[in-house]
């Protein structure tokens, strides 16, 4: 158990009129606090319940004042009736019975220290005394002589190997017993007019009191009105400092609360809440949306303000808010957040701000909750509607093809950090070309739906991102309705069907192979039937227009777009196999002139020079990278196979291969 011992017997005559009606510790040091109320609040906040207070001068005023504060503390008052004839060594001796068998937090009653100094003392692993390695040695006040990392002497007379020191100590039970016994010897010998530290100096070699360096932080005694003025100003400065932290989490756990509490001790805390968009591209789609996360943070006690942080980079908010201090866990010193941290340091350096990092504790329960969140995100009902949400949130959504569990994991987890932003794919494209290719079959609707659904299931099992399913022609309208129901039930977000009939061949063949475009009427009927069949609002049917592929012209494409939207299509995909994006741009412009809201989808396999930003500017909403994993994986595999054949062993192929350890790590175990 730890008890606080506060020494308040003294006269404090150097304070003049300020102490004419009450003891020094009741001097006001801010609009709301006295020296004593501040000390007691800090003790109560730290959960220290037992306080022993020595009194003397104005002892009744002092006791009544303590009661009026109504703090959750049990205070034992011990009066030193000889307060005007003895030093505090005797006050401590008077209180000895209350101070047996416990750790002691000893402080003089005229000491003002900032929260963080107090916290460091309380949290110190063993005995400690507050010292400052940066303050000049005071002429008349306490100095501590250090040796081998321990405090060896404390007094006003030591100048060699000494640092400025303040009478704020934490003492372990054993060290305190040694000191208290020595105090007893001094008092028994009538040696009551000296500092208690004189007794300490005789036994300090047997103690392990470490110096706790508060450097330039506030930890100061108030002896006279000049001290009071200085402390008053410093305290105001400390308490008005602005502190900034950012959270992306939608699960607040005790670790977060602990770091928020620590940040609050540093000043007025503003919390940045990472936007949904930034959170989604940083780790996963937030289960709790931004507004709710903002309200959650604002409702925490002691949070001054909550603002949105739109990017993983702190830069914009730091430049706008200019906080004195940024607080973060020390986990970002390594890993992909390292450059974000460096940018924070660079921005802070431009105006003299400071970064404070607290040890990050990985919470096993959080990892468990995170797993649960991911599991939830993977569930059909939560996954299905997420494409619509992402479209609303981001305006432009990107998807990459996946045709197996492992390519699904690549689509799910690949992250790139660039200019303070993280980039991930938003969704997955279940390409008919790649699904067929993976099975060694041509892309002619030969791989049947049962097999295609099996691929969807494999991907769904290991990922959380929304799925866009390539439905080819959708088959007969009578069959398509069943496909819609199945996909919807599985949690797929969107099916894209193309307006072709007969033996469908891949669009990238263009007019090199015979392909027939469906009639507008027929295709509209198929779309309508599909829309009627679906059960939720979440599911989307996208109509894919093949007019440009089949060289039927822009007008035909636009006419079809109008008709398909009228028939109920939730999105339009326009396809082209030209490297020059002109016809895609022309369609986008004309389509947006006639329809501002229906999402527009493109598959830039041929016109691959166009950036996502440019597509967005031109009114495109979904960019699908339809086959790049298959096309990059295949030659790599072929090369490794050739190497083994040529060398009649696998050694040379090893350089082309991922280490076994990495491939094992790639797959998360349940
Ligand atoms: C696919 O990926 O299967 C597609 C797009 O349908 S394309 O190959 O460009 O036709
Ligand atoms: Mg296809």
């Amino acid at each position: 158990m730890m008890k606080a011992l506060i020494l308040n017997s003294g006269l404090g005559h150097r304070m003049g009129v300020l102490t004419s009606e009450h003891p020094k510790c009741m001097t006001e040091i801010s609009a709301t606090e006295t020296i004593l109320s501040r000390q007691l609040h800090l003790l109560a906040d730290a959960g220290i319940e037992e306080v022993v207070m020595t009194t003397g001068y104005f002892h009744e005023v002092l006791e009544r004042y303590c009661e009026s504060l109504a703090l959750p503390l049990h205070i034992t008052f011990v009066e030193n009736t000889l307060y005007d004839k003895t030093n505090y060594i005797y006050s401590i001796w008077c209180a000895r019975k209350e101070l047996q068998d416990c750790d002691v937090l000893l402080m003089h009653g005229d000491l003002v220290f900032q929260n963080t100094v107090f916290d460091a003392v309380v949290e110190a692993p063993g005995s400690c005394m507050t010292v400052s390695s940066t303050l000049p040695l005071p002429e008349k006040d306490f100095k501590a002589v250090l040796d081998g990392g321990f405090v060896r002497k404390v007094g006003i007379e030591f100048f060699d190997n000494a640092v400025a020191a303040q009478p704020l100590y934490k003492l372990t039970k054993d060290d305190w017993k040694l000191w208290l016994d020595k105090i007893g010897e001094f008092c028994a010998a009538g040696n009551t007019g000296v500092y208690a530290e004189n007794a300490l100096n005789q036994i300090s070699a047997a103690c392990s009191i470490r110096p706790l360096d508060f450097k330039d932080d506030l930890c100061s005694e108030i002896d006279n009105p000049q001290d009071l003025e200085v402390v008053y100003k410093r305290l105001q400065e400390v308490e008005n400092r602005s502190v900034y932290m950012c959270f992306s989490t939608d699960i607040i756990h005790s670790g977060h609360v602990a770091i928020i509490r620590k940040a609050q001790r540093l000043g007025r805390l503003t919390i940045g809440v990472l936007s949904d968009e930034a959170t989604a591209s940083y780790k996963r789609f937030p289960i709790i949306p931004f507004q709710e996360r903002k309200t959650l943070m604002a409702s925490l006690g002691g949070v001054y303000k909550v603002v949105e942080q739109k990017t993983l980079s702190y830069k914009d908010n730091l430049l706008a808010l200019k906080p004195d201090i940024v607080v973060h866990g020390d986990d970002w010193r390594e890993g992909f957040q390292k450059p974000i941290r460096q940018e924070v340091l660079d921005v802070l350096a431009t105006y003299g701000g400071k970064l404070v990092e607290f040890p990050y504790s990985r919470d096993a329960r959080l990892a468990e909750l995170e797993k649960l969140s991911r599991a939830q995100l993977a569930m059909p009902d939560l996954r299905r509607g997420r494409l619509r949400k992402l479209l609303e949130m981001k305006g432009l959504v990107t998807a990459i093809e996946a045709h197996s569990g492992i390519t699904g994991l690549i689509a799910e987890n690949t992250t790139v950090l660039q200019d303070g932003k993280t980039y991930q794919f938003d969704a997955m494209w279940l390409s008919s070309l790649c699904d067929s290719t993976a099975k060694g079959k041509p892309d002619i609707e030969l791989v049947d739906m049962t097999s295609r659904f099996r691929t969807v299931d494999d991907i769904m099992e290991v990922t959380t991102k929304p799925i866009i399913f390539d439905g080819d022609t959708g088959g007969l309208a009578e069959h398509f309705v069943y496909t819609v129901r199945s996909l919807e039930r599985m949690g797929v977000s969107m099916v894209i069907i193309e307006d072709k009939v007969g033996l469908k061949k891949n669009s990238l063949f263009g007019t090199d192979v015979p392909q027939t475009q469906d009639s507008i009427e027929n295709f509209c009927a198929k779309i309508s039937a599909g829309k009627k069949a679906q059960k939720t609002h979440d599911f989307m049917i996208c109509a894919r227009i093949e007019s440009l592929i089949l060289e039927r012209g822009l007008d035909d494409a636009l006419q079809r777009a109008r008709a398909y939207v009228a028939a109920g299509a939730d999105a339009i995909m326009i396809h082209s196999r030209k490297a020059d994006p002109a016809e895609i741009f022309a369609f986008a412009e004309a389509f947006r002139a006639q329809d501002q809201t229906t999402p527009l989808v493109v598959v830039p396999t041929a016109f691959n020079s166009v950036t996502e930003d440019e597509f967005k500017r031109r009114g495109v909403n979904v960019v699908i990278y339809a086959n790049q994993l298959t096309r990059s994986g295949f030659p790599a595999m072929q090369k490794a196979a050739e190497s083994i054949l040529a060398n009649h062993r696998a050694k040379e192929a090893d350089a082309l291969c991922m280490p076994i350890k990495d491939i094992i790590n790639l797959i998360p175990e349940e």
Side-chain angles (χ1 to χ4, degrees), residues 371-629:
K371 227 162 112 182
L372 281 175
S373 304
R374 283 188 180 272
Q376 267 199 42
L377 285 175
M379 285 297 157
D381 280 343
L382 267 182
R383 192 192 301 237
R384 192 189 304 114
R386 207 159 333 117
L387 185 64
R388 275 195 198 276
K389 281 193 191 144
L390 281 163
L391 277 167
E392 252 170 54
M393 204 165 92
K394 301 185 71 171
L396 182 103
V397 164
T398 61
I400 186 146
E401 70 105 338
H403 56 266
S404 59
I406 186 71
T407 47
L409 281 175
I410 289 172
E412 175 87 6
N413 295 327
T414 306
T415 309
V416 165
L417 180 70
Q418 206 174 54
D419 306 327
K421 285 189 174 174
T422 42
Y423 295 92
Q424 288 192 0
F425 294 103
D426 301 302
M428 290 173 279
W429 165 242
L430 227 134
S431 155
S432 67
L433 172 69
C434 300
D435 202 5
S436 308
T437 303
K439 293 168 170 61
K441 301 257 170 71
D443 181 19
I444 52 170
E445 297 190 87
L446 174 65
V447 179
D448 65 32
M449 276 300 161
T450 313
S451 168
R452 301 283 316 279
F453 290 170
R454 180 70 237 158
T455 311
V456 174
D457 206 37
D458 283 346
I459 294 171
M460 287 237 163
E461 215 169 301
V462 294
T463 62
T464 67
K465 289 185 174 169
I467 291 178
I468 303 172
F469 185 82
D470 179 354
D472 289 321
T473 64
L476 296 172
E478 291 81 350
H479 295 175
F480 180 55
V481 290
Y482 284 92
T483 307
V484 166
R485 289 263 181 92
S486 303
L487 291 172
E488 192 185 19
R489 200 173 50 242
M490 291 165 86
V492 167
S493 302
M494 176 155 88
V495 62
I496 301 186
I497 48 169
E498 57 196 274
D499 54 0
K500 286 199 296 223
V501 283
L503 179 63
K504 183 223 84 158
K505 298 246 168 106
N506 186 276
S507 300
L508 301 174
F509 285 122
T511 49
D512 300 348
V513 293
Q515 301 203 55
T516 317
Q517 198 169 17
D518 201 354
S519 71
I520 294 182
E521 198 186 12
N522 235 2
F523 199 64
C524 282
K526 201 185 289 186
I527 294 166
S528 298
K531 284 311 288 177
K532 232 188 251 162
Q534 77 180 61
K535 295 285 177 208
T536 67
H537 165 72
D538 297 339
F539 189 73
M540 297 171 82
I541 296 179
C542 173
R544 163 172 168 175
I545 298 169
E546 293 287 294
S547 303
L548 303 181
I549 295 280
L550 301 172
E551 295 172 5
R552 297 275 166 76
L554 181 63
D555 287 343
D556 181 71
L558 285 168
Q559 190 196 349
R560 283 171 178 271
R562 249 192 314 270
Y564 298 164
V565 172
D570 298 290
I572 291 293
M573 171 178 155
I574 184 68
H575 207 17
S576 159
R577 60 192 178 94
K578 295 205 171 120
D580 181 352
E583 63 179 16
I584 286 284
F585 289 168
F587 178 89
E589 193 179 343
F591 178 65
R592 278 290 166 248
Q594 72 184 32
D595 182 331
Q596 283 81 55
T597 52
T598 306
L600 183 58
V601 182
V602 294
V603 177
T605 304
F607 44 100
N608 54 18
S609 60
V610 186
T611 62
E612 291 156 10
D613 272 350
E614 174 148 26
F615 277 131
K616 192 172 185 179
R617 270 201 308 279
R618 291 178 182 272
V620 170
N621 307 93
V622 182
V623 173
I624 298 177
Y625 299 99
N627 46 45
Q628 283 75 8
L629 297 188

Side-chain angles (χ1 to χ4, degrees), residues 13 28 82 98 131 158 169 226 272 277 406 505 513 603:
H13 57 270
E28 283 172 8
L82 305 177
E98 307 298 334
V131 306
F158 306 114
Y169 302 84
Q226 290 74 41
E277 187 182 336
I406 186 71
K505 298 246 168 106
V513 293
V603 177

